[in-house]
Amino acid sequence: MKLFHVFLATTLILLSLTACSAPEQDDHVLTVAATAVPHAEILKQVKPLLAKQGVDLQIRVFADYVQPNTQVAEKNIDLNYFQTRPYLDAFNRERGTDLVIVAGVHIEPFGAYSRKYTSIDQLPDGASVTLPNDPSNNSRALLLLARHGLITLKDPNDEMATLKDITANPKQLKFRELEAAMLPRTLDEVDLSLINTNYALAAGLNPTRDALLIEDKDSPYVNYLVGRPDNRNDPRVQKLAKALTSPEIKAFIEQKYHGAVLPAF
């Protein structure tokens, strides 16, 4: 029994020493979840600016719109950069999270694309149309169609409009809702697809050249840097927000994307 107590005491001491000597979390590291284009590309330009300020920016690239928010909410990642306010509001409401906006960075004019037609006037009656299935981008697609007279909505300014809010569909367009990342793959199968600019760019589409319909520069859908209430005022986070809205990044966005992505600051 005495030997057992000696062994137990020794084990507890060793565990205590191990815990005391465990490396502390690096306060200089800042992790950000982002979609590949243009968000991760923009963050890569910011990385050296932050390095000069003692912040190691680590970029985690995601292909969807759910995990970047989930990972931040669960505190596995510090921040994310990929979404608009309507999407964030809908996510918080549906998932019970309390993610918050840190800074507005850019606008990606949303567009409608076709491989079959070169003008929206060529779109036939009964045309097949794909659009995002998440609430905010679904509404954004419908608002763009309504703005160009292809459909009529109950409220033409409702940022959460759905297919049920269509009051007139003169061309009898046939809608199919899909995950946003899948939309570029449907271009060979449908007459028209409404695609988020980040996925359009990743698919080799140029919104200013290829889109049959596109939002103008006054689009309210700014893409934001997003965090949590507990870290939004962290000095590292504020350094990133300032760098993302700096003259250097504004010049990069204008030169790199030629109007497909617009600075929002």
Side-chain angles (χ1 to χ4, degrees):
M1 183 64 72
K2 289 183 179 179
L3 287 175
F4 173 77
H5 286 137
V6 171
F7 174 77
L8 180 60
T10 303
T11 302
L12 290 173
I13 291 170
L14 289 173
L15 288 172
S16 176
L17 290 172
T18 301
C20 291
S21 62
E24 296 181 0
Q25 184 176 355
D26 191 345
D27 290 336
H28 299 293
V29 172
L30 188 65
T31 54
V32 185
T35 46
V37 182
H39 307 84
E41 293 177 341
I42 295 172
L43 287 169
K44 287 177 183 177
Q45 296 301 309
V46 172
K47 189 175 175 70
L49 299 179
L50 286 187
K52 293 177 182 178
Q53 302 177 60
V55 178
D56 178 13
L57 182 65
Q58 296 186 2
I59 306 162
R60 308 279 192 264
V61 178
F62 289 82
D64 72 297
Y65 286 164
V66 175
Q67 281 302 308
N69 274 341
T70 301
Q71 293 298 315
V72 173
E74 294 177 353
K75 299 188 178 182
N76 298 319
I77 294 177
D78 297 314
L79 306 162
N80 65 51
Y81 170 39
F82 76 98
Q83 67 193 311
T84 64
R85 183 188 293 273
Y87 183 87
L88 174 62
D89 290 344
F91 189 94
N92 278 335
R93 184 171 58 252
E94 294 168 7
R95 307 289 179 118
T97 51
D98 61 348
L99 300 176
V100 296
I101 285 172
V102 177
V105 183
H106 74 267
I107 295 168
E108 300 172 18
F110 195 88
Y113 301 83
S114 177
R115 288 240 168 91
K116 298 180 180 179
Y117 308 105
T118 57
S119 167
I120 201 67
D121 296 331
Q122 298 172 352
L123 199 66
D125 290 348
S128 54
V129 180
T130 51
L131 63 169
N133 63 2
D134 63 272
S136 66
N137 286 306
N138 186 275
S139 304
R140 190 176 180 182
L142 294 174
L143 290 173
L144 181 61
L145 293 173
R147 203 167 294 127
H148 289 272
L150 291 168
I151 59 173
T152 301
L153 294 171
K154 187 186 306 180
D155 179 355
N157 298 309
D158 183 4
E159 292 183 348
M160 297 307 294
T162 69
L163 290 174
K164 294 180 180 179
D165 295 312
I166 296 175
T167 57
N169 182 6
K171 282 184 172 289
Q172 296 299 304
L173 302 177
K174 298 176 181 176
F175 296 103
R176 184 157 52 111
E177 299 165 302
L178 297 170
E179 185 180 343
M182 298 290 294
L183 294 170
R185 304 179 197 177
T186 69
L187 280 173
D188 290 327
E189 306 166 8
V190 300
D191 297 305
L192 191 72
S193 184
L194 289 105
I195 305 174
N196 296 75
T197 292
N198 60 309
Y199 291 129
L201 290 170
L205 297 167
N206 183 323
T208 56
R209 181 193 65 215
D210 300 323
L212 303 190
L213 302 175
I214 193 167
E215 291 173 338
D216 59 30
K217 62 181 179 61
D218 297 321
S219 168
Y221 292 93
V222 175
N223 280 232
Y224 290 95
L225 179 67
V226 168
R228 300 183 304 271
D230 67 285
N231 72 0
R232 70 188 304 176
N233 295 317
D234 185 305
R236 296 167 301 165
V237 172
Q238 291 303 310
K239 287 177 181 178
L240 174 57
K242 186 174 181 180
L244 276 171
T245 55
S246 65
E248 295 94 329
I249 297 306
K250 182 177 184 179
F252 169 77
I253 292 173
E254 291 173 340
Q255 294 167 11
K256 169 76 173 177
Y257 301 108
H258 306 288
V261 178
L262 302 169
F265 54 91

